[in-house]
Amino acid sequence: MLLMEKKTIIVPHDFTPVAENALNHAINTAKRTGAEILLLHVVAKEKAVGEAEEKLKAVVEQHKQEIKITSFIRVGNIFDDIGDFASENHAELIFMGTHGQTGWQHITGSHALKVITHSTVPFIVVQEKPIKETGYDDIVVPLDLNKETKQKLAYVANIATYFKSRVHVITPDESDEFLRHQVKANIQFAVRFFHERGIDVTTKVVPTSGFDKEVVKHAVSLDADLIAIMNLNRNNMLGVITANHEQYILTNDAQIPTLIVNPVAGKYGSSVLFS
């Protein structure tokens, strides 16, 4: 990707507290990266546009002293329009709130993954936990044996650079000797990758069984601010993060926000926002 002068963050907003929390996360990030925020509300029918415009105007007014925010209304559905809008505006990151088991057009579990899968742009999915003033101090990075899993390292490294974060790599233990060697090689690659960029990194190996729960447990023990995963919502031969695991992490009980990256063509992927 070419470096663009204007950096853009998208925030879908449905006028709920969790959407407002996602906006606060976006504002904190935008201030550090020099990005502008585009606020998006999707309505099902044209007749709902007027009321939504007034509500969006109030949200923008509330934050206008902090940062530039521009609001937009789309008539359609969230599954198509969030991704389309982000693509049209060359966005680098989308902050989206999720409500657990109920909420705006049911953005939970598989529905959240459906929204994410329809976009080429990475998401940070937040629940009710507010962002600290210092932002994302500690980021947990699960590494499995799926070849795409390294792609998220560039995103994590760039976020960590802006927030001066510590990165904590966690990998599943493997009984098979060949797979164990692969795990060790992945850990070494990740450590070198982060060290070359001046980022503090720790590593931990945990049981393969219940890996998603081990990831969240480790994040809780560290009081982590972000968990970074890949959206591998398809055939998954060697990776232990599957759609169910992704949903578990996205809606984890500790309410730790999740950076979720869709695999792209190329070795590690790229990010305009954090280039």
Side-chain angles (χ1 to χ4, degrees), residues 64-237:
K64 70 178 184 180
Q65 302 300 327
E66 297 179 84
I67 202 161
K68 181 185 177 184
I69 303 175
T70 310
S71 60
F72 296 85
I73 305 278
R74 292 287 285 259
V75 180
N77 69 81
I78 57 170
F79 300 120
D80 297 322
D81 285 283
I82 292 174
D84 289 349
F85 182 79
S87 180
E88 289 162 18
N89 288 280
H90 308 290
E92 287 78 43
L93 197 55
I94 301 171
F95 282 82
M96 185 171 72
T98 184
H99 302 257
Q101 296 308 308
T102 60
W104 179 33
Q105 294 192 30
H106 309 291
I107 302 189
T108 61
S110 60
H111 288 146
L113 280 177
K114 187 177 175 184
V115 174
I116 292 161
T117 303
H118 278 200
S119 173
T120 58
V121 180
F123 280 70
I124 289 183
V125 178
V126 309
Q127 299 185 63
E128 294 175 9
K129 187 176 182 179
I131 189 168
K132 296 189 303 197
E133 191 174 325
T134 51
Y136 305 120
D137 292 333
D138 291 275
I139 305 173
V140 170
V141 182
L143 275 188
D144 60 27
L145 294 178
N146 213 297
K147 68 182 188 303
E148 293 96 343
T149 197
K150 290 179 181 176
Q151 289 187 5
K152 66 188 170 193
L153 299 186
Y155 291 98
V156 172
N158 289 306
I159 290 174
T161 299
Y162 276 107
F163 287 98
K164 297 180 173 57
S165 317
R166 294 170 292 271
V167 170
H168 308 276
V169 173
I170 181 169
T171 57
D173 197 6
E174 295 289 349
S175 55
D176 179 89
E177 189 174 341
F178 173 76
L179 297 182
R180 186 180 287 247
H181 177 75
Q182 292 294 103
V183 167
K184 186 177 179 181
N186 276 359
I187 293 172
Q188 290 173 341
F189 175 89
V191 169
R192 185 169 66 250
F193 186 92
F194 290 120
H195 277 169
E196 285 173 352
R197 288 153 181 81
I199 297 164
D200 290 340
V201 58
T202 70
T203 63
K204 186 177 179 69
V205 178
V206 297
T208 301
S209 177
F211 183 57
D212 54 348
K213 293 176 177 61
E214 292 290 341
V215 168
V216 173
K217 188 164 78 174
H218 188 46
V220 169
S221 73
L222 294 164
D223 192 25
D225 307 293
L226 195 65
I227 301 173
I229 64 173
M230 295 297 294
N231 181 23
L232 301 173
N233 193 16
R234 61 183 191 283
N235 289 340
N236 196 9
M237 297 298 290

Side-chain angles (χ1 to χ4, degrees), residues 48-65:
V49 168
E51 182 183 355
E53 281 179 341
E54 288 302 309
K55 288 183 176 179
L56 276 184
K57 185 177 177 182
V59 173
V60 172
E61 187 72 19
Q62 182 182 346
H63 294 284
K64 70 178 184 180
Q65 302 300 327

